[in-house]
Amino acid sequence: MQAKKRYLILFSTGACLILLFCLGGIQVPLSRRGPGRPHDRRLSGYGPGARCDDLTEHISPRQKRDANSGLYTGKRCRMESCFDFSLCERNGFKVYVYPQQKGEKLSESYQNILSSIEGSRFYTSDPGQACLFVLSLDTLDRDQLSPQYVHNLKAKIQNLPLWNGGKNHIIFNLYSGTWPDYTEDLGFDIGLAMLAKASISTENFRPDFDVSIPLFSKDHPRTGGEKGYLKYNTIPPYRKYMLVFKGKRYLTGIGSDTRNALYHIHNSEDVVLLTTCKHGKDWQKHKDARCDKDNAEYDKYDYREMLYNSTFCLVPRGRRLGSFRFLEALQAACVPVMLSNGWELPFSEIIDWNRAAVIGDERLLLQIPSTVRSIHQDKILSLRQQTQLLWEAYFNSVEKIVLTTLEIIQDRVLLHTSRSNLMWNSLPGGLFTLPQYSTSLRDFPFYYAKLGIKPPSKFTAIIHVVTPLVSQSQPVMKLLVAVAKSQYCAQVIVLWNCEKPLPAKHRWPATSVPVTVIEGESKVISSRFLPYNTIPTDAVFSLDEDTVLSTTEVDFAFTVWQSFPDRIVGYPARSHFWDSNKERWGYTSKWTNDYSMVLTGAAIYHKYYHYLYTTYLPASLKIMVDQMSNCEDILMNFLVSLVTKLPPIKVTQKKQYKETMMGQSSRASRWADPDHFAQRQTCMNKFANWFGTMPLIHSQMRLDPVLFKDQVSILRKKYRDIERL
């Protein structure tokens, strides 16, 4: 009897546990994600970064299995099981784009994706050198009702000689499935290929293999992209509305539940959530009692005005998990409130969305107003600032989206040089923090303050020489001596870009610091920006041979740079302007209070920009610069302003600087040459065209030594030679 009782108790306990599990009383933690992924740090319930578990309502387990069974055979693919790393060992991370097949049409969006890859440093035209392959067949829109839908894609892909079951291929997709169920089936078996997909669910997303990308419109710019709209970092960050949304209301079918319920929290004051039934050909067939009222309210508000004047923007799911509202909210510095259960957020592998969005639960819609109202003003400002960083770093152009996708995959392939979470989620972003240069934060000019350290107190001077050495009284000799006397100078490098042979060592003056003379690579002007291993310091003082600077001016410029280590700091300033008559960018050397460039003939900056100039910029721009022997200084200013989104820093120079510079015989004719000036005008526009934007930023700030203009004893001034000369 005792044994029977024990069995009955055990059986009852087991049955109760099974029942509790089925009813949700016991939760089993999901361990699919690694501990380093941003999602794992989300809190339960609401709040910035909070997210619910992925539950799909109204679909039985059998329906879900049936829907997912035909998606693809590589459901369990991971990098270690479905990717051939050996293809990347010979030539590094190179990407091959299949040649376009005759008769195959490409959508504008897919053409922009392919052009972005072909214009990147990853591209190779040789499939034998490739690590990753991209189809020339348009896979973006796999909705069978769409005019962009490509038929017979399965057969076309299987016939590709390099397909190899999809291994080392990546497939880009924005839309999948069709009415009425909108599954994630692409209509063909992707095999072992990776997916770069919009609106992908966490259920179908293969961690550390697929890449979730944002849904973007056909009007999304290929390069450049607009800046974010956060103009002032005000506290409190007041805006007219607290929470807004304006969009379609789906009366039936998938995605209708959440949008149909928004009217419950709409108050026409600070929470304005507008929906319209007027879409689709047969909307009136499904018209309900609220449609007329909703439509009338919908027409009262301008969407753009709401977007730019709201603190939070609701981003509910549509027919698919993602929507255009997501990118629109990021750009407008309107903190996205995500209501799309089960959506793997874009670039979730590298972006910590806790810092830029509120991730809610569709089932707890009524709690949203009280949740967003409870977020502190300081946190709101932080969230809004992060939306701007992410928008401009990864989302504001097709090129940024594509490059971010490729950089993520490269970090997986070259795991030992992958970027840290801080690099991806702080300025200037992962695209400008190349891990091939270093994996240590202290080696970049952007992280000194975050690490709580100061830049090293030494610089390396690089003097660019293009004229023969015929006299000991030449300006380059005086410059070398003045620079070498600086208390901050660690070494002087003379870059010999002259066609004449190198002078003998005894021709150079004796100095207290080492002087190294090296020949420029191919004698081209871009060689002054090569990342030479002989540069031991973080700071580089770039100098033209005819620059006239005193030791005091050198010291002062370096001390200023230590406060702005991510910028170009120097003396000769120039400016750009928009010529409305010619409808092009203009370049001016007029001495005014306004400037946007500091020329590298007398400027100091971090040596990382040498690496970025050499590695990031396309060969076409550097070839143009070298052929003209001009504009390399403008190109460097474009690059640094693009990265920092800040202007350079101009420092005070001695009073006769302009006259002494123009009085030098070696370069006077060059600066006065009208052809030289016309070339620089051309460079401005070609650079702006490649960058897709004008990155230069105007400034009127000039940094002077303390007491520079005060009528006090000259002996009280630290940099008194600057005023005396």
Side-chain angles (χ1 to χ4, degrees), residues 32-33 36-42 51 200 202 205-208 210-214 343-353 395 404 408 412 421 425:
R32 193 183 67 172
R33 301 186 188 281
R37 293 173 61 80
H39 292 61
D40 295 324
R41 295 187 294 275
R42 290 174 175 139
R51 182 171 184 157
I200 191 169
T202 54
F205 182 77
R206 296 168 293 180
D208 302 319
D210 293 332
V211 179
S212 176
I213 63 174
W343 181 22
E344 187 74 23
L345 293 181
F347 302 139
S348 53
E349 185 172 333
I350 52 114
I351 293 178
D352 184 358
W353 285 109
F395 296 110
T404 304
I408 288 172
R412 296 174 187 166
N421 182 273
N425 290 278

Side-chain angles (χ1 to χ4, degrees), residues 403-463:
L403 290 180
T404 304
T405 302
L406 297 181
E407 294 278 10
I408 288 172
I409 299 171
Q410 181 185 225
D411 271 10
R412 296 174 187 166
V413 173
L414 307 175
L415 191 60
H416 61 290
T417 60
S418 60
R419 298 163 183 81
S420 67
N421 182 273
L422 179 62
M423 290 178 176
W424 283 113
N425 290 278
S426 60
L427 288 170
L431 298 188
F432 293 124
T433 311
L434 304 185
Q436 293 77 19
Y437 175 76
S438 175
T439 57
S440 173
L441 293 173
R442 63 176 57 244
D443 290 334
F444 294 89
F446 321 114
Y447 305 115
Y448 290 119
K450 290 183 184 298
L451 296 174
I453 60 175
K454 292 182 178 180
S457 58
K458 294 290 183 179
F459 69 80
T460 299
I462 300 181
I463 303 176

Side-chain angles (χ1 to χ4, degrees), residues 58 179-182 248-260 276-277 279 282-288 291 317-319:
H58 311 308
W179 186 88
D181 50 9
Y182 295 95
K248 299 174 182 177
R249 175 156 76 88
Y250 302 113
L251 296 169
T252 60
I254 191 169
S256 61
D257 291 352
T258 300
R259 296 197 182 194
N260 278 337
T276 179
C277 304
H279 58 89
D282 57 349
W283 70 271
Q284 290 188 342
K285 292 181 182 178
H286 305 285
K287 182 178 177 181
D288 61 20
C291 274
R317 66 159 297 153
R319 293 300 194 193

Side-chain angles (χ1 to χ4, degrees), residues 54 122 373 398 609 688-689 700:
D54 175 23
F122 300 118
R373 291 185 205 281
V398 175
Y609 292 123
N689 182 61
Q700 292 186 348

